[in-house]
Amino acid sequence: MSAVDASRMQRRRLRHDRLASLWLTAAGLGVMVIVVVMLAYLVSVSWPLLKPASVTSLPQQALEQQVSDQQMPAAQTDPDWLSTLPDMPLAARDGLAAVLASDDSTADSRTSPLAGVWLADDRLQVVQQSAAGVRLRGSAIEVPAGLERRQASLMLSRDQLWLRIPYEEGDGLWLARLALSSPHVSAGALEDDAASQTPHSEWQQQWLPGPARLSSQQGRLLVTADRDGFTQWQLSEASTGTKPLARKLAHHAVASSASASSPAITAISVLRGGRSLIVGDAAGGLSHYLLPAHAQPLVKAGVFDSGLSAPVVTMAAAHHSLGFAALDANGRLGLYLATSERRRQVLDWLDAARVAAGVALEFDNDDRRLLASATREARLPGQLAQDAPLGALGKAYAGLAIHDPHQAVGLDAIFGKVWYEGRAAPEWIWQLESTGTHEPRLSLVPIMWGTLKAALVGLLFAVPLGLGCAIHVACFMAPRQRSRIKPLLEMMEALPTVVIGFIAALVVAPFVERELMAVLLGLVLIPLGTMVAGFLWTLSPRVWRNLLPENMAAFGLLPLLFVLLWMDVTIAGQVEQWWFDGDLRQWLFSHYGIDYAQRNTLVTGMALGLAVMPTLFTLSEDALSSVPRGLAAGSAALGATPWQSLRRVILPAAAVGLFSAMMIGMGRAVGETMIVLMVAGNTPLVDASLFEGLRSLAATLAIELPEAEVGSSHYRLLFLAALALFVFTFVVNTLAEVLRQRFTPPNQGSWG
């Protein structure tokens, strides 16, 4: 070859090298760009969860439309509509005092509103109105004298209509109930079957003693309060008979005149579902009380950072969540969520003079608007002969449009313990909103704990197996044997994890449940027996040891393993009978309250350990093989045994690589989906038991993401879980690779 040809070939080679280098650089930068884009997308989808509520003032036109949509139509157009009521005596039609609309948080556009009509003869008649007309519901009730009728309130709860009015002196509450056969009657039903609306139910009434300057009611919970404390009452569900309407459960003393640190109660509100109470005080504070279990006294769950500085004047509860609004005497408004005592927004809204004149707050049907109106009054007879009836929103003069689609989610709800209704103490719970009055419970802690728990238990099985195999193959096995065994172990990584999960769920899990004592005993007996046998082998005569070369010692252990397995199965039943009363699972439950689930953390760890072990073996063997041969040779030349060389020379030199291998194995176990999905039972629990199930981040994404509504809080929270999983695996794998490359010795090559 001439010098010209050699020079041309050299230039071509250099050009190809530069192109390859540019291509590899571009590919690496492309991967980095993709990772950054993925990270930015996950952050952009998750970020709205942490935004506070936003509010905008409603213009007058929208406010009037809101009032027009929710007010009783016939009452607006015809002040004399009472004369059109059928089956009402003429004497009763002559005097209309007022109309008190019912607080029906469950009503929708398909139902007809109920109202209480104050008559001139101190009676109250319930009517139901629709496009078909107005019909009577039940019989009229005579209202006793001496009541503060301006504070009267009607509430529709299931099939019962409740009327409560405090005494003028504030020393008690008058409670009445009307049982309704069908409280929500459609307009079509009123048109088609007028006879079905004929009243059959009679009023029941009861006087509740004690201070009752304030009262609030929802579901079966009624709370009466004065400045110093509140009393909790449980409402009866019976519609007939002599059973009392309300039963006193407890009295809670909150403030006293002698204690300056305990401000007086100024407002109370029972929230949706009737299991949470909000107490507002004279210092602008808000306290949260809830029912930890059915029919138990209220307990204090927490105190809000309200952002209010003046006495709380009034509050309004949301219809579809545990949210509420509170207004202080200076016109400052706060929006809150009772779950974890979260403040969503605080703003200066009304002037103090308007608040002092009397203001009532109410959410619209879908909780997207909050309206302020003059205080709703049940006027005295003779005061309202020609005025329009007083609906809940009939005189709204200010309103706010509320945009808070993710109010149930916050950092405290995601990562902190929350005291939920019906629970004995604050807990971490992952549970989507279900039927009934339960609020969504969206803590990521149970599934993050399940992810780490599964990964750590998997490493407990993978590290001894993978690291032990790597040490034996790299340091003790002959080169010819190593060339055959290493590829076989590495081929295990090609085994699909879905197959491992399938076998673990259908074969291993039932076996472990049936032979739990043998499995647990084998985890101790087999490693301990192997170590004892190895130690005894070193004490045996040299003639015996020469019969089995050192690089064949592992094969000599196979008969011993079969013997240990036979011993394990043989004595497991006797051990269980002697020490655990013949049933280990029952013994654990009766002594420690540990319940056994067939698909649990122990089985999951076994399956994960088998899946992670090939990766851990390959990386560990590479780290051990990369230790320079001179270190081991020098150690042997100084008279060290192979075990001493391994323990004092090779392992310290390869420690960073071994640690990197374990970190990569940890990242692999954290991101595993199919095994955890099929074997772990998918129960989001926060406990350290190996016999309970778990749920991981990856499994949660696989289960719930296909069914999550796009843009919902659940949907975005799953993206936040994906972000946490992505960041964890990315950081762990990147750190492991950096350590491996940073501390890898420059001279590589097998020393064995």
Side-chain angles (χ1 to χ4, degrees), residues 10-39:
Q10 181 68 17
R11 288 195 301 270
R12 186 183 301 112
R13 184 182 300 111
L14 293 176
R15 183 167 58 252
H16 290 170
D17 289 344
R18 286 194 295 269
L19 289 177
S21 178
L22 290 175
W23 170 253
L24 292 176
T25 303
L29 292 175
V31 171
M32 295 178 61
V33 169
I34 292 174
V35 170
V36 172
V37 169
M38 290 175 59
L39 182 63

Side-chain angles (χ1 to χ4, degrees), residues 665-747:
M666 180 74 173
R668 166 77 188 279
V670 166
E672 178 56 45
T673 303
M674 293 308 301
I675 292 177
V676 181
L677 184 64
M678 301 175 70
V679 184
N682 296 312
T683 52
L685 302 174
V686 182
D687 59 38
S689 173
L690 294 178
F691 306 121
E692 291 282 359
L694 56 88
R695 172 177 284 195
S696 69
L697 290 168
T700 301
L701 293 174
I703 294 172
E704 299 183 6
L705 190 57
E707 300 179 359
E709 180 183 354
V710 177
S712 64
S713 299
H714 179 210
Y715 177 84
R716 296 184 184 276
L717 196 58
L718 291 177
F719 270 82
L720 182 61
L723 176 62
L725 183 62
F726 177 87
V727 170
F728 182 84
T729 54
F730 179 78
V731 170
V732 168
N733 291 331
T734 302
L735 182 60
E737 185 63 22
V738 169
L739 289 175
R740 189 183 67 82
Q741 294 185 1
R742 173 68 177 81
F743 295 99
T744 298
N747 298 325

Side-chain angles (χ1 to χ4, degrees), residues 224-292:
T224 59
D226 63 353
R227 297 179 59 85
D228 299 330
F230 62 88
T231 302
Q232 174 188 352
W233 305 83
Q234 184 181 16
L235 301 179
S236 171
E237 291 185 344
S239 59
T240 58
T242 59
K243 187 176 182 180
L245 301 183
R247 179 172 62 91
K248 183 178 179 180
L249 289 180
H251 178 75
H252 303 259
V254 175
S256 63
S257 57
S259 177
S261 61
S262 301
I265 297 176
T266 57
I268 61 173
S269 178
V270 179
L271 302 184
R272 169 186 179 264
R275 300 182 66 87
S276 288
L277 170 70
I278 305 299
V279 176
D281 57 45
L286 296 171
S287 301
H288 179 205
Y289 295 80
L290 57 78
L291 290 172

